[in-house]
Short mmCIF file of all heavy atoms in Angstrom, two decimals:
data_model
loop_
_atom_site.label_atom_id
_atom_site.label_comp_id
_atom_site.label_asym_id
_atom_site.label_seq_id
_atom_site.Cartn_x
_atom_site.Cartn_y
_atom_site.Cartn_z
N ALA A 160 6.26 26.37 5.40
CA ALA A 160 4.97 26.62 4.83
C ALA A 160 4.86 26.14 3.35
O ALA A 160 3.85 25.62 2.95
CB ALA A 160 4.72 28.11 4.88
N ALA A 161 5.93 26.32 2.61
CA ALA A 161 5.94 25.86 1.21
C ALA A 161 5.79 24.36 1.16
O ALA A 161 5.08 23.84 0.24
CB ALA A 161 7.20 26.32 0.53
N SER A 162 6.43 23.65 2.09
CA SER A 162 6.35 22.21 2.07
C SER A 162 4.91 21.73 2.35
O SER A 162 4.42 20.76 1.77
CB SER A 162 7.34 21.59 3.11
OG SER A 162 6.87 21.77 4.39
N LYS A 163 4.25 22.45 3.20
CA LYS A 163 2.89 22.10 3.52
C LYS A 163 1.89 22.53 2.43
O LYS A 163 0.86 21.93 2.23
CB LYS A 163 2.46 22.73 4.86
CG LYS A 163 3.20 22.11 6.08
CD LYS A 163 2.98 20.64 6.15
CE LYS A 163 3.55 20.02 7.42
NZ LYS A 163 3.29 18.57 7.60
N GLY A 164 2.29 23.55 1.69
CA GLY A 164 1.45 23.88 0.54
C GLY A 164 1.52 22.81 -0.53
O GLY A 164 0.50 22.45 -1.16
N ALA A 165 2.67 22.18 -0.68
CA ALA A 165 2.82 21.00 -1.51
C ALA A 165 1.93 19.85 -1.06
O ALA A 165 1.32 19.16 -1.87
CB ALA A 165 4.28 20.59 -1.62
N ILE A 166 1.83 19.64 0.24
CA ILE A 166 0.95 18.62 0.78
C ILE A 166 -0.49 18.87 0.46
O ILE A 166 -1.26 17.94 0.15
CB ILE A 166 1.22 18.41 2.30
CG1 ILE A 166 2.58 17.89 2.57
CG2 ILE A 166 0.12 17.53 2.96
CD1 ILE A 166 2.83 16.48 1.92
N ASP A 167 -0.92 20.16 0.50
CA ASP A 167 -2.27 20.47 0.15
C ASP A 167 -2.53 20.08 -1.31
O ASP A 167 -3.59 19.46 -1.63
CB ASP A 167 -2.48 21.97 0.35
CG ASP A 167 -2.70 22.32 1.80
OD1 ASP A 167 -2.54 21.47 2.69
OD2 ASP A 167 -2.98 23.54 2.07
N THR A 168 -1.63 20.46 -2.16
CA THR A 168 -1.81 20.14 -3.59
C THR A 168 -1.81 18.61 -3.83
O THR A 168 -2.66 18.08 -4.59
CB THR A 168 -0.70 20.76 -4.45
OG1 THR A 168 -0.70 22.22 -4.19
CG2 THR A 168 -0.84 20.51 -5.92
N PHE A 169 -0.95 17.94 -3.15
CA PHE A 169 -0.89 16.47 -3.27
C PHE A 169 -2.20 15.82 -2.79
O PHE A 169 -2.71 14.91 -3.38
CB PHE A 169 0.33 15.97 -2.45
CG PHE A 169 0.40 14.42 -2.44
CD1 PHE A 169 0.58 13.74 -3.62
CD2 PHE A 169 0.31 13.78 -1.19
CE1 PHE A 169 0.63 12.28 -3.53
CE2 PHE A 169 0.36 12.42 -1.16
CZ PHE A 169 0.50 11.65 -2.29
N THR A 170 -2.70 16.34 -1.66
CA THR A 170 -3.94 15.88 -1.13
C THR A 170 -5.09 15.93 -2.18
O THR A 170 -5.83 14.94 -2.38
CB THR A 170 -4.37 16.64 0.16
OG1 THR A 170 -3.39 16.44 1.11
CG2 THR A 170 -5.70 16.14 0.69
N ARG A 171 -5.21 17.10 -2.80
CA ARG A 171 -6.27 17.24 -3.80
C ARG A 171 -6.07 16.26 -5.00
O ARG A 171 -7.01 15.60 -5.43
CB ARG A 171 -6.31 18.67 -4.28
CG ARG A 171 -6.78 19.69 -3.27
CD ARG A 171 -7.51 20.85 -3.91
NE ARG A 171 -7.98 21.75 -2.96
CZ ARG A 171 -9.15 21.67 -2.30
NH1 ARG A 171 -9.99 20.62 -2.56
NH2 ARG A 171 -9.54 22.57 -1.44
N GLY A 172 -4.87 16.19 -5.51
CA GLY A 172 -4.61 15.35 -6.67
C GLY A 172 -4.83 13.85 -6.35
O GLY A 172 -5.49 13.16 -7.07
N LEU A 173 -4.23 13.41 -5.23
CA LEU A 173 -4.36 12.02 -4.91
C LEU A 173 -5.77 11.60 -4.58
O LEU A 173 -6.23 10.53 -4.98
CB LEU A 173 -3.44 11.68 -3.68
CG LEU A 173 -3.46 10.21 -3.31
CD1 LEU A 173 -2.87 9.35 -4.41
CD2 LEU A 173 -2.67 10.02 -2.02
N SER A 174 -6.53 12.51 -4.00
CA SER A 174 -7.94 12.20 -3.63
C SER A 174 -8.78 11.84 -4.90
O SER A 174 -9.57 10.94 -4.88
CB SER A 174 -8.60 13.33 -2.87
OG SER A 174 -8.74 14.47 -3.71
N VAL A 175 -8.48 12.59 -6.00
CA VAL A 175 -9.17 12.31 -7.25
C VAL A 175 -8.68 11.00 -7.85
O VAL A 175 -9.41 10.18 -8.37
CB VAL A 175 -8.95 13.45 -8.24
CG1 VAL A 175 -9.54 13.16 -9.58
CG2 VAL A 175 -9.58 14.77 -7.65
N GLU A 176 -7.34 10.80 -7.79
CA GLU A 176 -6.71 9.61 -8.41
C GLU A 176 -7.22 8.32 -7.84
O GLU A 176 -7.35 7.30 -8.55
CB GLU A 176 -5.18 9.72 -8.27
CG GLU A 176 -4.41 8.64 -9.02
CD GLU A 176 -2.94 9.00 -9.12
OE1 GLU A 176 -2.59 10.17 -9.32
OE2 GLU A 176 -2.11 8.03 -8.98
N VAL A 177 -7.52 8.29 -6.51
CA VAL A 177 -7.79 7.03 -5.85
C VAL A 177 -9.25 6.88 -5.32
O VAL A 177 -9.59 5.94 -4.72
CB VAL A 177 -6.87 6.73 -4.67
CG1 VAL A 177 -5.41 6.60 -5.18
CG2 VAL A 177 -6.95 7.78 -3.61
N ALA A 178 -10.06 7.89 -5.76
CA ALA A 178 -11.45 7.92 -5.25
C ALA A 178 -12.25 6.65 -5.74
O ALA A 178 -13.05 6.15 -4.98
CB ALA A 178 -12.17 9.13 -5.71
N ALA A 179 -11.98 6.23 -6.90
CA ALA A 179 -12.74 5.10 -7.48
C ALA A 179 -12.17 3.72 -7.09
O ALA A 179 -12.77 2.64 -7.45
CB ALA A 179 -12.75 5.21 -9.05
N VAL A 180 -11.10 3.72 -6.29
CA VAL A 180 -10.56 2.40 -5.86
C VAL A 180 -10.63 2.21 -4.40
O VAL A 180 -9.84 1.52 -3.75
CB VAL A 180 -9.08 2.22 -6.36
CG1 VAL A 180 -9.02 2.15 -7.91
CG2 VAL A 180 -8.14 3.37 -5.89
N GLY A 181 -11.61 2.99 -3.75
CA GLY A 181 -11.91 2.72 -2.36
C GLY A 181 -11.07 3.41 -1.34
O GLY A 181 -11.16 3.11 -0.15
N ILE A 182 -10.37 4.51 -1.76
CA ILE A 182 -9.48 5.25 -0.81
C ILE A 182 -9.93 6.68 -0.78
O ILE A 182 -10.11 7.35 -1.79
CB ILE A 182 -8.00 5.13 -1.27
CG1 ILE A 182 -7.59 3.67 -1.38
CG2 ILE A 182 -7.17 5.88 -0.26
CD1 ILE A 182 -6.25 3.51 -2.04
N ARG A 183 -10.12 7.16 0.43
CA ARG A 183 -10.42 8.60 0.68
C ARG A 183 -9.13 9.32 1.14
O ARG A 183 -8.41 8.72 1.92
CB ARG A 183 -11.53 8.77 1.69
CG ARG A 183 -12.89 8.19 1.28
CD ARG A 183 -13.92 8.38 2.29
NE ARG A 183 -13.63 7.81 3.60
CZ ARG A 183 -13.24 8.42 4.62
NH1 ARG A 183 -13.03 9.77 4.65
NH2 ARG A 183 -12.96 7.79 5.80
N VAL A 184 -8.90 10.51 0.65
CA VAL A 184 -7.71 11.26 1.03
C VAL A 184 -8.13 12.63 1.47
O VAL A 184 -8.77 13.41 0.68
CB VAL A 184 -6.68 11.37 -0.10
CG1 VAL A 184 -5.45 12.08 0.30
CG2 VAL A 184 -6.40 10.00 -0.69
N ASN A 185 -7.85 13.02 2.68
CA ASN A 185 -8.17 14.34 3.19
C ASN A 185 -6.97 14.89 3.99
O ASN A 185 -5.95 14.23 4.16
CB ASN A 185 -9.42 14.23 4.09
CG ASN A 185 -10.68 13.80 3.38
OD1 ASN A 185 -11.25 14.59 2.59
ND2 ASN A 185 -11.08 12.59 3.56
#
Side-chain angles (χ1 to χ4, degrees):
S162 75
K163 291 303 187 177
I166 290 300
D167 283 4
T168 302
F169 175 62
T170 298
R171 290 211 180 274
L173 184 62
S174 70
V175 174
E176 186 168 321
V177 298
V180 294
I182 304 171
R183 297 182 300 103
V184 184
N185 295 288

